[in-house]
Amino acid sequence: MQTLDRRLFLTSAAFLMAGCDQVARGKPPGGPVPPLRSVSPIPVGCCLRTDQFADKALIRLLSRNFSQITPEWEMKMSYLIRPNGQLRFDAADRLIAFAHDRKMAVHGHALIWYKYDAPQFQRLAKDRTAFLAAYRAYITQVASRWKGRIRGWDVVNEPVENMGGSLRDCLWSRVLGEDGYIVEAFEAASRADPKALLFINEYSLEKIPAKRKTFLQLIERLLKKGAKIGGIGTQTHIRNDMPRGQISAAIRDLASFGLPLHISELDISFRLRGGLATNLDAQTETASELVEAFMALPEKQRYALSFWGARDKDSWLMQPPFNDFPGNQPLPFTNDGNPKPMTAAIAEILRQHR
Ligand code: G3I
C-alpha cells in the first residue's frame, strides 16, 4: 500500500475512533453568543487591511471575537514591491502593531503566489542563478522583518492549478521548477524566521477531490525532498450546499501527514434557492461539520480557525466579479455585527472542546 494511502487509512480509522461531541448540526444552542475568542481553545482568526482601521464598529467586533489576524493584502508581493523595486512595509508594520496591542497573533500571507510576480523577477527569468538570488533575497527580507512576531506564514499560496489537473505554471515554476520554487521558498523562509510555522495554502480542497489528491501528492513529494513544510492551510471558501461528509473527508485527508492544519480563509456562501432560513440552516450545518471535524483532530494539529472577513459586507465575495448571488451572507457576522446562527453553533462546538 502506497505511503500516502496507508496514512489516509490510518488517519480515517483514528478519526472515526476518536469520535467527537456532536453538536446537533444546524441547531445553535440559543441565548446570547459569547465572543468566539472567549470560548475557543484555539486561535480564531480574521483577515484585515489597514484601510479598515477607521471602521470603529469592525475594529470593536474584531478585537472582541478574534485572537489572530491575517493581512488580507498588505503583506503580499503585489503590495510590498513598488515599481522602483523598493519594498514598502508601512501598512504591514501597522497591522503587526495592531495585533500586538490587542494580544492577537499574526499569520503572514503570502510570500510566494503564482498570481503575482514583479518586473524585478521577470527581467532575471533567463538567468537562473541571478533569479534564485533575488528570489531568496525577497523572501529573506520580508520574512525576517517581523522575525519572532509572525506565528505562521503562508510561504506558498495556491500551487495547484484551479481544478487540480496539474501544478501551477507560473514565473516561479518556469525558472526554478514546479517543486523547486516551493522547496526554495520554504528553505529561505525557514532561515529568515526559524520560529514561524511555515504553511502551504490551497483552495477547493474540500470541493474538488481530484485537486486534493494532486495537492496531497505534492506535499508527499515535497516532504521527501526535505521541504520545511510545517503546516497545511486549507482556505475553505465553501458553499452551504456541499454534500454532508465531504468536508470531514477532506479534513481527514489533509490531517494525514500529522502536520498542523489551518482553516485559513473560511467563508460559507449561500447556494440554495430556498430563501434565507433554508440558507442559514444549511450554512450552520456546513459550519458545524467543518468545526467538529477540525476540533476532533489532535490538539497539535489545530493551528487556527480563520475567517476571510468578519461581516458580510467585508467579504471579497461581495465585490465584483464575485458578487453573483444576491443576498449571499458568507461570513460569521451580519453587517450590523450580529452573530449568525452558524456563529452560535461554532462557538458552542469550540466551547465543548475547551
Ligand atoms: O486598496 C487599493 C486601492 O487603494 C486601489 O485604488 C485599488 C486599485 O486597484 O486597489 C486596492 O487594493 C485592492 C486590495 O484587495 C484591497 O482592497 C487590490 O486591488 C485587490 O487586488 C486586492 O484583492 C485581494 C485579493 O486577494 C488579491 O490580493 C482581496 O482583497 C483578498 O480578499 C483576496 O484574498 C485571496 C487570498 O489572498 C488567497 N485566497 C483567495 C482569496 C480571495 O481571492
Side-chain angles (χ1 to χ4, degrees), residues 80-197:
L80 295 177
I81 294 190
R82 305 324 306 140
N84 65 3
Q86 294 300 307
L87 300 187
R88 63 171 171 171
F89 291 116
D90 54 322
D93 287 347
R94 290 177 63 206
L95 287 161
I96 292 275
F98 173 95
H100 180 267
D101 293 348
R102 291 161 181 80
K103 296 188 177 19
M104 292 173 161
V106 178
H107 183 80
H109 173 81
L111 291 172
I112 297 297
W113 191 6
Y114 79 91
K115 215 168 199 172
Y116 296 105
D117 51 50
Q120 292 78 2
F121 294 107
Q122 292 155 11
R123 285 196 288 269
L124 299 173
K126 295 197 179 346
D127 179 346
R128 188 184 185 284
T129 304
F131 183 98
L132 179 55
Y135 185 77
R136 286 170 173 164
Y138 171 79
I139 294 170
T140 303
Q141 194 175 351
V142 174
S144 55
R145 181 168 183 90
W146 305 289
K147 181 176 178 181
R149 291 180 287 167
I150 295 270
R151 182 175 177 235
W153 267 108
D154 287 336
V155 175
V156 171
N157 194 40
E158 303 175 4
V160 179
E161 180 273 328
N162 191 43
M163 297 303 287
S166 65
L167 298 184
R168 290 286 182 190
D169 170 35
C170 56
L171 176 65
W172 320 119
S173 65
R174 286 193 293 274
V175 179
L176 299 176
E178 278 189 342
D179 292 1
Y181 84 93
I182 303 174
V183 174
E184 286 292 349
F186 277 87
E187 182 61 33
S190 166
R191 290 174 192 274
D193 191 350
K195 288 202 171 59
L197 213 47

Side-chain angles (χ1 to χ4, degrees), residues 49-65:
R49 305 186 310 270
T50 56
D51 64 87
Q52 294 174 306
F53 285 2
D55 185 334
K56 297 303 171 208
L58 173 63
I59 298 306
R60 268 196 308 278
L61 189 67
L62 276 175
S63 307
R64 183 172 147 80
N65 284 282

Side-chain angles (χ1 to χ4, degrees), residues 43-46 66-70 104-107 151 262 303-304 306:
V44 187
C46 188
F66 300 103
S67 52
Q68 182 167 295
I69 60 164
T70 301
M104 292 173 161
V106 178
H107 183 80
R151 182 175 177 235
H262 185 196
Y303 173 77
S306 295

Side-chain angles (χ1 to χ4, degrees), residues 23 98 125 145 155 169 220 223 244 268 301 303-304 323 342:
V23 172
F98 173 95
R145 181 168 183 90
V155 175
D169 170 35
E220 177 116 26
L223 290 172
R244 292 288 155 249
I268 303 178
Q301 286 193 268
Y303 173 77
N323 55 338
M342 74 160 161

Side-chain angles (χ1 to χ4, degrees), residues 49 72-73 76 109 113 116 157-158 235 265 308 316:
R49 305 186 310 270
E72 183 171 14
W73 183 51
K76 291 171 180 172
H109 173 81
W113 191 6
Y116 296 105
N157 194 40
E158 303 175 4
Q235 294 180 13
E265 303 179 15
W308 210 241
W316 64 294

